[in-house]
């Protein structure tokens, strides 16, 4: 009973977070969306290179290449907690590190993407978020290049 209560609360929180993020990306222009895609790309590369607790970035699940079973749900929950911890750490460094700002932006996308895997109603919201984000694909490489140059100038 308690476990179901917690799960229901978590799903409501994930739905709320996804709805807020969906609203945010829906009002972004293409240049802003390009920047978001670039930060998600940077975060993805970092996450692919750094397994967490023996677990790798759940790219196959996010791409829809594998079915989500109870083992994968446990891995997603672990990974989600790990990313939230990383996001909090980035937020604590934002005032003095542009890299932390960029990473926080990218992590937010992946956290919401993981949340979208927890149920059909959340999956639909995740698809809508990525539908908005993909509008920025034309300029994401230029945005990435600008971010890298800005980061190098800061160092």
């Amino acid at each position: 009973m308690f476990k179901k209560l917690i799960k229901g609360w978590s799903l409501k929180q994930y739905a709320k977070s996804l709805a807020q993020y969906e609203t945010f990306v829906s009002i972004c222009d293409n240049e802003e969306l390009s920047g978001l895609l670039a930060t998600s790309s940077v975060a993805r590369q970092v996450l692919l290179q750094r397994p967490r607790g023996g677990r790798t970035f759940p790219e196959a699940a996010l791409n829809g290449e594998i079915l989500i079973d109870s083992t994968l749900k446990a891995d997603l929950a672990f990974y989600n907690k790990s990313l939230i911890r990383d996001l909090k750490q980035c937020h604590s460094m934002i005032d003095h590190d542009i890299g932390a700002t960029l990473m926080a932006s990218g992590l937010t996308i992946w956290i919401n993407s993981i949340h979208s895997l927890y149920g059909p109603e959340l999956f639909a919201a995740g698809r809508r978020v990525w539908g908005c984000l993909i509008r920025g694909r034309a300029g994401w490489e230029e945005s990435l290049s600008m971010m890298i140059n800005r980061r190098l100038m800061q160092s």
Side-chain angles (χ1 to χ4, degrees), residues 24-122:
F24 167 70
V25 296
S26 71
I27 61 173
C28 289
D29 64 27
N30 288 352
E31 187 176 328
E32 292 165 327
L33 293 169
S34 294
L36 290 172
L37 281 176
T39 62
S40 74
S41 178
V42 169
R44 180 181 162 272
Q45 288 304 313
V46 170
L47 296 171
L48 285 170
Q49 295 171 12
R50 296 185 189 158
R52 290 154 177 355
R55 294 170 172 98
T56 58
F57 184 64
E59 189 166 37
L62 290 163
N63 289 340
E65 297 169 7
I66 58 174
L67 294 175
I68 299 174
D69 60 11
S70 58
T71 302
L72 183 54
K73 279 186 181 181
D75 285 348
L76 289 172
F78 173 86
Y79 214 86
N80 183 52
K81 287 178 187 174
S82 176
L83 292 183
I84 290 170
R85 225 180 354 255
D86 290 349
L87 181 62
K88 288 178 181 176
Q89 184 179 11
C90 286
H91 279 281
S92 72
M93 300 181 331
I94 282 178
D95 289 338
H96 57 275
D97 185 351
I98 187 67
T101 304
L102 299 176
M103 191 65 179
S105 176
L107 286 173
T108 301
I109 294 169
W110 292 115
I111 290 168
N112 279 293
S113 296
I114 289 172
H115 289 173
S116 75
L117 298 176
Y118 282 95
E121 66 284 353
L122 300 176

Side-chain angles (χ1 to χ4, degrees), residues 30 33-34 37 130-142:
N30 288 352
L33 293 169
S34 294
L37 281 176
W130 276 98
C132 289
L133 287 169
I134 207 68
R135 289 190 345 246
R137 71 180 173 263
W140 81 270
E141 289 174 327
E142 183 180 343

